PDB file of all heavy atoms in Angstrom:
ATOM      1  N   HIS A 319       4.351  10.758 -17.948  1.00 85.00           N
ATOM      2  CA  HIS A 319       5.700  11.249 -18.162  1.00 85.00           C
ATOM      3  C   HIS A 319       6.093  12.290 -17.123  1.00 85.00           C
ATOM      4  O   HIS A 319       7.214  12.303 -16.622  1.00 85.00           O
ATOM      5  CB  HIS A 319       5.771  11.851 -19.565  1.00 85.00           C
ATOM      6  CG  HIS A 319       7.146  12.273 -19.964  1.00 85.00           C
ATOM      7  ND1 HIS A 319       8.164  11.371 -20.141  1.00 85.00           N
ATOM      8  CD2 HIS A 319       7.675  13.489 -20.201  1.00 85.00           C
ATOM      9  CE1 HIS A 319       9.249  12.020 -20.467  1.00 85.00           C
ATOM     10  NE2 HIS A 319       8.990  13.308 -20.507  1.00 85.00           N
ATOM     11  N   ARG A 320       5.138  13.158 -16.789  1.00 86.00           N
ATOM     12  CA  ARG A 320       5.486  14.315 -15.969  1.00 86.00           C
ATOM     13  C   ARG A 320       5.343  14.111 -14.466  1.00 86.00           C
ATOM     14  O   ARG A 320       6.026  14.746 -13.680  1.00 86.00           O
ATOM     15  CB  ARG A 320       4.638  15.521 -16.395  1.00 86.00           C
ATOM     16  CG  ARG A 320       5.022  16.059 -17.766  1.00 86.00           C
ATOM     17  CD  ARG A 320       6.372  16.761 -17.719  1.00 86.00           C
ATOM     18  NE  ARG A 320       6.344  17.880 -16.796  1.00 86.00           N
ATOM     19  CZ  ARG A 320       5.911  19.083 -17.101  1.00 86.00           C
ATOM     20  NH1 ARG A 320       5.493  19.341 -18.328  1.00 86.00           N
ATOM     21  NH2 ARG A 320       5.903  20.044 -16.213  1.00 86.00           N
ATOM     22  N   ILE A 321       4.397  13.263 -14.051  1.00 90.00           N
ATOM     23  CA  ILE A 321       4.201  13.104 -12.600  1.00 90.00           C
ATOM     24  C   ILE A 321       4.903  11.832 -12.148  1.00 90.00           C
ATOM     25  O   ILE A 321       4.396  10.729 -12.295  1.00 90.00           O
ATOM     26  CB  ILE A 321       2.712  13.068 -12.226  1.00 90.00           C
ATOM     27  CG1 ILE A 321       2.044  14.340 -12.755  1.00 90.00           C
ATOM     28  CG2 ILE A 321       2.538  12.964 -10.711  1.00 90.00           C
ATOM     29  CD1 ILE A 321       0.576  14.417 -12.466  1.00 90.00           C
ATOM     30  N   THR A 322       6.075  12.001 -11.599  1.00 84.00           N
ATOM     31  CA  THR A 322       6.883  10.819 -11.306  1.00 84.00           C
ATOM     32  C   THR A 322       6.994  10.559  -9.808  1.00 84.00           C
ATOM     33  O   THR A 322       7.667   9.622  -9.400  1.00 84.00           O
ATOM     34  CB  THR A 322       8.304  10.992 -11.879  1.00 84.00           C
ATOM     35  OG1 THR A 322       8.835  12.207 -11.346  1.00 84.00           O
ATOM     36  CG2 THR A 322       8.276  11.096 -13.377  1.00 84.00           C
ATOM     37  N   THR A 323       6.367  11.384  -8.998  1.00 80.00           N
ATOM     38  CA  THR A 323       6.541  11.245  -7.556  1.00 80.00           C
ATOM     39  C   THR A 323       6.008   9.922  -7.032  1.00 80.00           C
ATOM     40  O   THR A 323       6.769   9.026  -6.735  1.00 80.00           O
ATOM     41  CB  THR A 323       5.886  12.408  -6.795  1.00 80.00           C
ATOM     42  OG1 THR A 323       4.679  12.752  -7.468  1.00 80.00           O
ATOM     43  CG2 THR A 323       6.806  13.589  -6.735  1.00 80.00           C
ATOM     44  N   ASN A 324       4.696   9.812  -6.900  1.00 86.00           N
ATOM     45  CA  ASN A 324       4.172   8.520  -6.482  1.00 86.00           C
ATOM     46  C   ASN A 324       2.738   8.332  -6.952  1.00 86.00           C
ATOM     47  O   ASN A 324       2.121   9.248  -7.488  1.00 86.00           O
ATOM     48  CB  ASN A 324       4.306   8.313  -4.968  1.00 86.00           C
ATOM     49  CG  ASN A 324       3.363   9.209  -4.189  1.00 86.00           C
ATOM     50  OD1 ASN A 324       2.168   9.230  -4.446  1.00 86.00           O
ATOM     51  ND2 ASN A 324       3.902   9.939  -3.237  1.00 86.00           N
ATOM     52  N   VAL A 325       2.224   7.139  -6.751  1.00 93.00           N
ATOM     53  CA  VAL A 325       0.941   6.791  -7.335  1.00 93.00           C
ATOM     54  C   VAL A 325      -0.193   7.607  -6.717  1.00 93.00           C
ATOM     55  O   VAL A 325      -1.163   7.939  -7.382  1.00 93.00           O
ATOM     56  CB  VAL A 325       0.665   5.288  -7.164  1.00 93.00           C
ATOM     57  CG1 VAL A 325      -0.631   4.904  -7.837  1.00 93.00           C
ATOM     58  CG2 VAL A 325       1.810   4.479  -7.727  1.00 93.00           C
ATOM     59  N   ARG A 326      -0.034   7.940  -5.458  1.00 91.00           N
ATOM     60  CA  ARG A 326      -1.096   8.705  -4.814  1.00 91.00           C
ATOM     61  C   ARG A 326      -1.278  10.060  -5.500  1.00 91.00           C
ATOM     62  O   ARG A 326      -2.392  10.494  -5.750  1.00 91.00           O
ATOM     63  CB  ARG A 326      -0.766   8.879  -3.325  1.00 91.00           C
ATOM     64  CG  ARG A 326      -1.987   9.184  -2.496  1.00 91.00           C
ATOM     65  CD  ARG A 326      -1.643   9.136  -1.029  1.00 91.00           C
ATOM     66  NE  ARG A 326      -1.438   7.779  -0.550  1.00 91.00           N
ATOM     67  CZ  ARG A 326      -0.555   7.458   0.366  1.00 91.00           C
ATOM     68  NH1 ARG A 326       0.218   8.384   0.881  1.00 91.00           N
ATOM     69  NH2 ARG A 326      -0.434   6.212   0.764  1.00 91.00           N
ATOM     70  N   VAL A 327      -0.162  10.696  -5.811  1.00 91.00           N
ATOM     71  CA  VAL A 327      -0.218  11.990  -6.487  1.00 91.00           C
ATOM     72  C   VAL A 327      -0.809  11.822  -7.889  1.00 91.00           C
ATOM     73  O   VAL A 327      -1.632  12.622  -8.345  1.00 91.00           O
ATOM     74  CB  VAL A 327       1.191  12.615  -6.565  1.00 91.00           C
ATOM     75  CG1 VAL A 327       1.166  13.911  -7.354  1.00 91.00           C
ATOM     76  CG2 VAL A 327       1.733  12.852  -5.172  1.00 91.00           C
ATOM     77  N   LEU A 328      -0.419  10.757  -8.527  1.00 94.00           N
ATOM     78  CA  LEU A 328      -0.918  10.454  -9.872  1.00 94.00           C
ATOM     79  C   LEU A 328      -2.442  10.321  -9.855  1.00 94.00           C
ATOM     80  O   LEU A 328      -3.146  10.903 -10.677  1.00 94.00           O
ATOM     81  CB  LEU A 328      -0.290   9.128 -10.299  1.00 94.00           C
ATOM     82  CG  LEU A 328      -0.024   8.862 -11.763  1.00 94.00           C
ATOM     83  CD1 LEU A 328       0.858   9.946 -12.342  1.00 94.00           C
ATOM     84  CD2 LEU A 328       0.663   7.506 -11.903  1.00 94.00           C
ATOM     85  N   GLU A 329      -2.927   9.570  -8.899  1.00 93.00           N
ATOM     86  CA  GLU A 329      -4.376   9.363  -8.786  1.00 93.00           C
ATOM     87  C   GLU A 329      -5.103  10.661  -8.487  1.00 93.00           C
ATOM     88  O   GLU A 329      -6.156  10.939  -9.042  1.00 93.00           O
ATOM     89  CB  GLU A 329      -4.673   8.413  -7.624  1.00 93.00           C
ATOM     90  CG  GLU A 329      -4.389   6.986  -7.915  1.00 93.00           C
ATOM     91  CD  GLU A 329      -4.794   6.101  -6.757  1.00 93.00           C
ATOM     92  OE1 GLU A 329      -4.935   6.613  -5.619  1.00 93.00           O
ATOM     93  OE2 GLU A 329      -4.987   4.916  -6.985  1.00 93.00           O
ATOM     94  N   GLY A 330      -4.517  11.442  -7.572  1.00 92.00           N
ATOM     95  CA  GLY A 330      -5.136  12.718  -7.200  1.00 92.00           C
ATOM     96  C   GLY A 330      -5.246  13.627  -8.409  1.00 92.00           C
ATOM     97  O   GLY A 330      -6.255  14.313  -8.592  1.00 92.00           O
ATOM     98  N   ALA A 331      -4.210  13.603  -9.238  1.00 94.00           N
ATOM     99  CA  ALA A 331      -4.201  14.451 -10.423  1.00 94.00           C
ATOM    100  C   ALA A 331      -5.345  14.067 -11.359  1.00 94.00           C
ATOM    101  O   ALA A 331      -6.085  14.915 -11.846  1.00 94.00           O
ATOM    102  CB  ALA A 331      -2.860  14.323 -11.133  1.00 94.00           C
ATOM    103  N   LEU A 332      -5.490  12.780 -11.559  1.00 94.00           N
ATOM    104  CA  LEU A 332      -6.519  12.310 -12.481  1.00 94.00           C
ATOM    105  C   LEU A 332      -7.921  12.622 -11.955  1.00 94.00           C
ATOM    106  O   LEU A 332      -8.806  13.046 -12.690  1.00 94.00           O
ATOM    107  CB  LEU A 332      -6.356  10.802 -12.683  1.00 94.00           C
ATOM    108  CG  LEU A 332      -6.957  10.244 -13.961  1.00 94.00           C
ATOM    109  CD1 LEU A 332      -6.279  10.855 -15.163  1.00 94.00           C
ATOM    110  CD2 LEU A 332      -6.818   8.731 -13.990  1.00 94.00           C
ATOM    111  N   THR A 333      -8.089  12.424 -10.669  1.00 92.00           N
ATOM    112  CA  THR A 333      -9.383  12.712 -10.052  1.00 92.00           C
ATOM    113  C   THR A 333      -9.752  14.177 -10.241  1.00 92.00           C
ATOM    114  O   THR A 333     -10.862  14.512 -10.633  1.00 92.00           O
ATOM    115  CB  THR A 333      -9.314  12.408  -8.541  1.00 92.00           C
ATOM    116  OG1 THR A 333      -8.864  11.080  -8.378  1.00 92.00           O
ATOM    117  CG2 THR A 333     -10.674  12.576  -7.898  1.00 92.00           C
ATOM    118  N   ARG A 334      -8.779  15.013  -9.975  1.00 92.00           N
ATOM    119  CA  ARG A 334      -9.051  16.440 -10.092  1.00 92.00           C
ATOM    120  C   ARG A 334      -9.361  16.814 -11.540  1.00 92.00           C
ATOM    121  O   ARG A 334     -10.279  17.573 -11.818  1.00 92.00           O
ATOM    122  CB  ARG A 334      -7.854  17.253  -9.594  1.00 92.00           C
ATOM    123  CG  ARG A 334      -8.250  18.712  -9.386  1.00 92.00           C
ATOM    124  CD  ARG A 334      -7.096  19.661  -9.412  1.00 92.00           C
ATOM    125  NE  ARG A 334      -6.156  19.478  -8.314  1.00 92.00           N
ATOM    126  CZ  ARG A 334      -5.024  20.185  -8.228  1.00 92.00           C
ATOM    127  NH1 ARG A 334      -4.723  21.086  -9.144  1.00 92.00           N
ATOM    128  NH2 ARG A 334      -4.191  19.969  -7.235  1.00 92.00           N
ATOM    129  N   LEU A 335      -8.610  16.225 -12.435  1.00 94.00           N
ATOM    130  CA  LEU A 335      -8.779  16.516 -13.853  1.00 94.00           C
ATOM    131  C   LEU A 335     -10.201  16.199 -14.321  1.00 94.00           C
ATOM    132  O   LEU A 335     -10.858  17.005 -14.982  1.00 94.00           O
ATOM    133  CB  LEU A 335      -7.760  15.688 -14.632  1.00 94.00           C
ATOM    134  CG  LEU A 335      -7.404  16.124 -16.034  1.00 94.00           C
ATOM    135  CD1 LEU A 335      -6.978  17.581 -16.037  1.00 94.00           C
ATOM    136  CD2 LEU A 335      -6.279  15.251 -16.555  1.00 94.00           C
ATOM    137  N   PHE A 336     -10.677  15.031 -13.980  1.00 92.00           N
ATOM    138  CA  PHE A 336     -12.018  14.645 -14.418  1.00 92.00           C
ATOM    139  C   PHE A 336     -13.092  15.500 -13.745  1.00 92.00           C
ATOM    140  O   PHE A 336     -14.050  15.921 -14.387  1.00 92.00           O
ATOM    141  CB  PHE A 336     -12.263  13.155 -14.156  1.00 92.00           C
ATOM    142  CG  PHE A 336     -11.802  12.288 -15.290  1.00 92.00           C
ATOM    143  CD1 PHE A 336     -10.507  11.791 -15.317  1.00 92.00           C
ATOM    144  CD2 PHE A 336     -12.650  11.979 -16.338  1.00 92.00           C
ATOM    145  CE1 PHE A 336     -10.069  10.999 -16.365  1.00 92.00           C
ATOM    146  CE2 PHE A 336     -12.220  11.191 -17.395  1.00 92.00           C
ATOM    147  CZ  PHE A 336     -10.922  10.700 -17.404  1.00 92.00           C
ATOM    148  N   ALA A 337     -12.902  15.754 -12.466  1.00 90.00           N
ATOM    149  CA  ALA A 337     -13.891  16.562 -11.756  1.00 90.00           C
ATOM    150  C   ALA A 337     -13.957  17.961 -12.362  1.00 90.00           C
ATOM    151  O   ALA A 337     -15.027  18.507 -12.614  1.00 90.00           O
ATOM    152  CB  ALA A 337     -13.535  16.640 -10.273  1.00 90.00           C
ATOM    153  N   PHE A 338     -12.788  18.514 -12.630  1.00 90.00           N
ATOM    154  CA  PHE A 338     -12.708  19.863 -13.183  1.00 90.00           C
ATOM    155  C   PHE A 338     -13.333  19.916 -14.579  1.00 90.00           C
ATOM    156  O   PHE A 338     -14.176  20.758 -14.876  1.00 90.00           O
ATOM    157  CB  PHE A 338     -11.242  20.302 -13.219  1.00 90.00           C
ATOM    158  CG  PHE A 338     -11.024  21.698 -13.697  1.00 90.00           C
ATOM    159  CD1 PHE A 338     -11.352  22.778 -12.884  1.00 90.00           C
ATOM    160  CD2 PHE A 338     -10.484  21.936 -14.954  1.00 90.00           C
ATOM    161  CE1 PHE A 338     -11.147  24.081 -13.319  1.00 90.00           C
ATOM    162  CE2 PHE A 338     -10.285  23.240 -15.399  1.00 90.00           C
ATOM    163  CZ  PHE A 338     -10.610  24.311 -14.588  1.00 90.00           C
ATOM    164  N   ALA A 339     -12.944  18.980 -15.420  1.00 92.00           N
ATOM    165  CA  ALA A 339     -13.448  18.976 -16.796  1.00 92.00           C
ATOM    166  C   ALA A 339     -14.961  18.823 -16.825  1.00 92.00           C
ATOM    167  O   ALA A 339     -15.646  19.428 -17.639  1.00 92.00           O
ATOM    168  CB  ALA A 339     -12.779  17.859 -17.593  1.00 92.00           C
ATOM    169  N   SER A 340     -15.493  18.029 -15.904  1.00 89.00           N
ATOM    170  CA  SER A 340     -16.943  17.841 -15.922  1.00 89.00           C
ATOM    171  C   SER A 340     -17.644  19.093 -15.400  1.00 89.00           C
ATOM    172  O   SER A 340     -18.744  19.414 -15.821  1.00 89.00           O
ATOM    173  CB  SER A 340     -17.344  16.605 -15.127  1.00 89.00           C
ATOM    174  OG  SER A 340     -17.497  16.918 -13.775  1.00 89.00           O
TER     175      SER A 340
END
Side-chain angles (χ1 to χ4, degrees):
H319 186 66
R320 290 289 300 276
I321 304 179
T322 55
T323 37
N324 70 53
V325 183
R326 201 171 287 145
V327 176
L328 210 57
E329 284 184 340
L332 202 62
T333 306
R334 194 202 295 176
L335 200 53
F336 272 90
F338 183 73
S340 86

